[in-house]
Structure formats: C-alpha cells, structure tokens
Amino acid sequence: MQFLGFFRTEKRDPIVLAGALIAFAVVTFALASTQLGWFAAMVASMFITGVLGMTIDRVAYRPLRGAPRNSMLITAIAVSFFLQNFGILAFSNRQTPFRPQSFWTSMLQFNVFGEPLYTSWMIVLVPVVTAVLVVALTLFVTRTRLGKAMRATAQDAETAQMMGVNVDRVIATTFLLGSMLAAAAGVLWGMTFGSINQPAIFGILPGIKAFAAAVIGGIGSLPGAVVGGVLLGFLENFLTALFPRTAAFGGITEYKDTFAFLAMILILLIRPSGIVGEDLSEKV
C-alpha cells in the first residue's frame, strides 16, 4: 500500500509518466523479439497501450480538470507531438517491416467486372475485427453502469459528479478503451500495409484523420465513426485510382490526404451533425 501511495501523489506524476514510457518501450522491444501470432500481438499491444493511455490521462489531463477547453486542446497537441517524437527516438525513424505469418496476409484474387483484382485477406479481417470491437464497445456503453456513467459525463461532467459519478474514474476508463482501440487499429494497419512508417503512424496526421472521420460520421455516434472512417478511406483510394498518374498528368496521389479535410469541410457545411450523428454543438 505504501508503494501505491507513492504514485498517488500528484508530485510524482512526472516520475509515473517516465516509468510508464520506459516500461512501454521495454515491453514493446520484448514483444518485438518474440514470435507472437497476430491475435496475441494485438491483445498484448491493446493491454500495454491502454495502461499507457491511463497514465497519460493521470499525468497530462487530470490536473487540467475544470480548466478552459483551450488548455485541454493545447495539451492534446503537445502530448501528440511528444508521443510522436518519443516513438521515433525510442524505436526507429525508418520504415519498419511488419508482416506476421498469417493466413490473413496471404494473397486473395477475385474478378470484378471480368478484371482480376489482387489483394490480401485483410480486406475480410479488418471489417470483421472492426465490427466485433464496435459491437462490444456499443454494448459496453449502452448496457453497463460504467458505460452509462460515460455518457452522463460526456453530456455534463459537473452534473454527473453531483449525481455520484466518479468522473476521474470514468475519464480514465475512456482513455483506457480509446488507447486499446488505437492499438488494435495500429496492428491492423501494420498487417494491411506490411510495414509501419513511424512518422506516419506516430503522428498528428492519423489523429486528425480520425477526428475528421468522427466529424463526417457524426460525433457521439459509434457506428457513425465507422461510417466516416470507411467513407474517408474510400474517398482517398477511389479518387486517387480515378485519376491515375499518366505521361501527361501527374495524378493526385500526393494530395489524397487533403480529401479527408475537404470531406470534413463539406460535411460541416451541409450537415454539421454528421451523416449519422446527433447535435454536436455542445461537444465540439
């Protein structure tokens, strides 16, 4: 109990964060040197990243409870840049191969309108894992007591606290779940593309795209976030394939990241609540 009390003091927060980051790097290196299946690797990474997410909430966000929202926004940007550069320094700034031996990464061929299409079985695995996680998260948020406390805190944290909800615990659980889902997405990302580009995956760009997908689908709606993500990925790949690089035309592949923000702007102009979402005037 004395050991736990040492970490409960706010003055120890920097020590807690440093310890968590060192533990995260050590465990990640240990996992990288072992031969785990993709499922075991995903579960382990979800657990480790979830603990790291709770630590970041404890150190970076809990001291700012009640502060203006601009402070939270600035802190979020600072944490994003810190994690990006920590990842580059602790691991590598180079393209790292990531393709575990699995049936899901094997070749898949089928015909579309008489033309052969080559891909991998990841186009089946990614939607299945996504559906399982979304259903599990939806059931957790709508059917459990802690999930209902999450919804109440999202609506009005002060009122929820007055009704007996432990807001700090609820927010820490939210960070745990969000970090776990981010870890699952990272594993599926690496298996799909066969490599992990550190500056791309440890950066603010994936976070901004995830926010754009949530806005497009509708903030506050779990299925809406999935719909927004699918639509965003479809636009990026379909439009770049629709206008390929030719001898006379340079193509638009280099500009595919702009599609996310153009789509978000259009959705905000046409339907501010998103495709499936609810009124987001208070939450944004």
Side-chain angles (χ1 to χ4, degrees):
M1 293 302 294
Q2 290 180 350
F3 177 78
L4 293 177
F6 174 84
F7 292 99
R8 286 172 181 164
T9 306
E10 290 187 359
K11 294 180 180 178
R12 317 292 190 196
D13 284 350
I15 302 176
V16 174
L17 178 60
L21 289 173
I22 293 173
F24 177 75
V26 170
V27 174
T28 302
F29 274 118
L31 289 176
S33 61
T34 59
Q35 296 293 328
L36 293 176
W38 70 271
F39 185 74
M42 187 172 72
V43 172
S45 63
M46 290 174 70
F47 174 76
I48 296 169
T49 310
V51 173
L52 180 62
M54 291 181 66
T55 305
I56 291 174
D57 167 63
R58 177 69 178 85
V59 175
Y61 292 100
R62 185 181 295 186
L64 296 176
R65 298 277 198 271
R69 293 186 177 182
N70 289 340
S71 301
M72 303 293 285
L73 178 61
I74 293 171
T75 302
I77 295 173
V79 169
S80 174
F81 279 108
F82 173 76
L83 291 177
Q84 176 182 358
N85 288 281
F86 174 79
I88 292 174
L89 290 173
F91 303 110
S92 172
N93 60 352
R94 299 178 179 177
Q95 196 87 2
T96 303
F98 180 79
R99 186 167 285 275
Q101 293 297 325
S102 170
F103 162 78
W104 301 104
T105 56
S106 60
M107 183 68 71
L108 172 65
Q109 176 185 353
F110 56 92
N111 294 326
V112 177
F113 300 116
E115 297 292 334
L117 181 64
Y118 301 93
T119 181
S120 71
W121 283 96
M122 289 302 297
I123 66 168
V124 177
L125 179 64
V126 171
V128 170
V129 173
T130 302
V132 170
L133 293 177
V134 169
V135 170
L137 184 61
T138 303
L139 292 176
F140 177 82
V141 171
T142 57
R143 302 293 178 85
T144 66
R145 188 171 182 177
L146 187 55
K148 294 177 181 177
M150 279 183 182
R151 294 160 58 194
T153 303
Q155 292 294 328
D156 192 328
E158 186 176 354
T159 304
Q161 192 167 19
M162 292 173 62
M163 299 296 292
V165 175
N166 188 335
V167 173
D168 289 335
R169 180 189 174 196
V170 168
I171 295 177
T173 305
T174 305
F175 270 83
L176 171 69
L177 295 177
S179 301
M180 293 176 70
L181 294 176
V187 172
L188 295 177
W189 174 309
M191 292 178 67
T192 300
F193 295 102
S195 65
I196 300 175
N197 184 326
Q198 270 73 6
I201 199 168
F202 287 134
I204 195 171
L205 184 60
I208 294 178
K209 283 190 176 180
F211 176 74
V215 172
I216 292 172
I219 288 181
S221 170
L222 295 176
V226 177
V227 171
V230 171
L231 180 62
L232 200 61
F234 176 79
L235 287 176
E236 286 188 351
N237 291 279
F238 178 76
L239 291 179
T240 52
L242 192 63
F243 301 99
R245 183 190 299 273
T246 62
F249 181 62
I252 59 174
T253 304
E254 291 82 0
Y255 306 102
K256 69 175 186 177
D257 290 337
T258 61
F259 300 150
F261 310 113
L262 288 176
M264 184 176 69
I265 292 171
L266 290 175
I267 288 295
L268 287 175
L269 290 174
I270 299 173
R271 186 177 170 81
S273 60
I275 298 174
V276 192
E278 55 193 48
D279 184 13
L280 47 72
S281 57
E282 292 293 331
K283 295 180 181 178
V284 172

